[in-house]
Amino acid sequence: MILNVSGRCDIVAFYMEWFMNRYKEGYVDVRNPFYKKQISRIDFKNVDLIVFCTKNPIPLIPYLNQINIPIYLQVTVTGYHKDIEKNVLDKTEIIKAIQTCSKQLGKDKVVLRYDPIFLNEKYTLDYHIKAFDRLCTLLDGYIDEIVISFLDEYKNVKKHKQELHYIKCTEEDYKKIGLNFSQIAHSHQMKVYTCFEENNLVEFGLDRDVCLSSKKAFELTNKVFKKWKARNCGCVEMVDIGYYNSCPHFCRYCYANYDEEKVKYNYSKHDPDSSLCIGQIQKEDEIKERLK
């Protein structure tokens, strides 16, 4: 089993103490986001790989040597400021943390995500190219791979349309991004690719890959995993242990948050000693062990 920690919220940034409590206890409970009374119980003995996804890996660093399960770390760093990423830590600190993680884990186990890309009057095409170039320069020798994606019109994106003020990318924009990003990345001996994007930009020099391929999963675990049928993106299947509407980063483009009041409420219900990330087990809950 591969755990995704997490695509639904930033567990590393805000709930790392809870995660380590669950790891030491030996199991974690996950509430089904669509059938709230259903709880999946996951024993860490059945976990082959942990994929940490975060905008702030700093809280993870003290625990890297305590986790005996293989780790694959994906860190999102963009060029956006507080107007878009309200509570994201200063990027200088994040880049230093990526360098530290790379030294401890190995650069083959640390991936940079530069996503989502969108254009407006402030965050222009040239702005992104310069930001991407600077990132690659600062992380030269620390990472091998970069994943990029483009803005999708999720509920939260539509809600913050005024703040984002995004402009739809033209074919010429995609071409310039592909040509420039591929040239910059390759000059630093890095591969850059999209995952599950309509415009994969391969024709403009981007590499062809996915966030976590069967090949990469095998390299990390020596086990074979099936592709993720539910998403059909080419990645292997993962189990997300996070909780929607619980990430206080409040990024305006986030697909997992769409109600800031719910985020605040859910965050207030977090208990580091609970088996659930948010809230407690209730009498009416049905707990079922998940084996894969």
Side-chain angles (χ1 to χ4, degrees):
M1 183 191 306
I2 299 175
L3 288 193
N4 186 349
V5 185
S6 158
R8 297 173 183 168
C9 63
D10 199 328
I11 287 176
V12 172
F14 298 106
Y15 304 105
M16 196 63 210
E17 179 187 358
W18 167 81
F19 178 83
M20 288 307 299
N21 285 344
R22 299 322 315 146
Y23 179 76
K24 292 170 184 176
E25 188 75 15
Y27 74 94
V28 60
D29 289 331
V30 186
R31 190 176 295 281
N32 188 314
F34 306 107
Y35 303 97
K36 296 298 179 71
K37 293 182 181 180
Q38 293 182 6
I39 305 287
S40 292
R41 176 158 292 177
I42 298 167
D43 193 312
F44 277 95
K45 289 185 291 187
N46 297 321
V47 176
D48 302 292
L49 176 67
I50 302 173
V51 179
F52 286 111
C53 302
T54 183
K55 284 187 169 72
N56 177 14
I58 293 172
L60 172 64
I61 293 172
Y63 302 113
L64 287 175
N65 294 327
Q66 297 181 31
I67 300 173
N68 296 319
I69 299 169
I71 291 172
Y72 192 53
L73 174 62
Q74 298 186 351
V75 185
T76 298
V77 185
T78 70
Y80 305 121
H81 297 292
K82 297 291 184 181
D83 56 330
I84 305 299
E85 297 175 341
K86 185 177 178 181
N87 292 327
V88 174
L89 197 65
D90 183 88
K91 306 299 171 63
T92 303
E93 297 302 313
I94 304 302
I95 290 168
K96 288 179 182 177
I98 295 173
Q99 293 170 343
T100 299
C101 291
S102 175
K103 290 175 184 176
Q104 292 195 42
L105 294 172
K107 64 178 183 177
D108 60 319
K109 298 180 180 68
V110 181
V111 175
L112 177 71
R113 298 191 67 99
Y114 187 88
D115 71 328
I117 297 169
F118 70 89
L119 307 179
N120 63 21
E121 291 181 359
K122 179 178 180 179
Y123 300 108
T124 63
L125 189 58
D126 286 342
Y127 180 96
H128 281 291
I129 291 169
K130 289 176 183 177
F132 187 79
D133 186 28
R134 179 165 173 75
L135 271 176
C136 289
T137 300
L138 292 171
L139 292 172
D140 192 329
Y142 292 98
I143 61 167
D144 289 329
E145 300 183 17
I146 305 169
V147 184
I148 68 170
S149 74
F150 298 94
L151 188 73
D152 289 314
E153 290 191 322
Y154 298 109
K155 185 175 182 179
N156 194 48
V157 170
K158 292 177 180 177
K159 180 179 178 180
H160 293 290
K161 196 167 185 175
Q162 290 284 66
E163 296 102 311
L164 293 167
H165 203 61
Y166 54 91
I167 304 165
K168 188 174 179 62
C169 286
T170 65
E171 288 303 312
E172 186 63 21
D173 292 330
Y174 285 123
K175 181 180 179 180
K176 287 182 179 178
I177 290 169
L179 291 173
N180 282 277
F181 277 34
S182 60
Q183 187 275 324
I184 292 167
H186 295 159
S187 71
H188 292 280
Q189 292 75 53
M190 301 170 184
K191 62 186 291 188
V192 57
Y193 53 91
T194 65
C195 180
F196 205 39
E197 288 288 328
E198 184 178 345
N199 293 285
N200 63 18
L201 309 186
V202 171
E203 69 269 35
F204 304 126
L206 263 66
D207 299 275
R208 190 182 298 277
D209 211 333
V210 294
C211 296
L212 184 56
S213 65
S214 300
K215 178 184 177 184
K216 187 66 178 182
F218 183 80
E219 289 174 3
L220 294 166
T221 66
N222 289 318
K223 291 189 176 183
V224 177
F225 294 91
K226 295 180 180 179
K227 289 185 178 180
W228 206 339
K229 291 183 180 179
R231 294 188 63 176
N232 194 32
C233 61
C235 291
V236 292
E237 187 172 7
M238 292 179 270
V239 179
D240 199 311
I241 66 169
Y243 198 96
Y244 289 114
N245 276 319
S246 63
C247 181
H249 273 142
F250 293 129
C251 298
R252 302 307 189 196
Y253 52 71
C254 183
Y255 62 87
N257 281 352
Y258 55 85
D259 188 328
E260 291 192 7
E261 291 307 311
K262 279 189 178 180
V263 172
K264 294 173 185 176
Y265 174 79
N266 288 333
Y267 189 65
S268 73
K269 293 297 179 182
H270 172 67
D271 178 358
D273 295 319
S274 173
S275 63
L276 293 164
C277 183
I278 303 297
Q280 306 284 346
I281 299 292
Q282 303 298 316
K283 289 182 180 179
E284 64 270 21
D285 289 334
E286 301 173 4
I287 301 174
K288 185 177 180 180
E289 185 176 4
R290 180 161 186 165
L291 301 176
K292 60 180 182 177

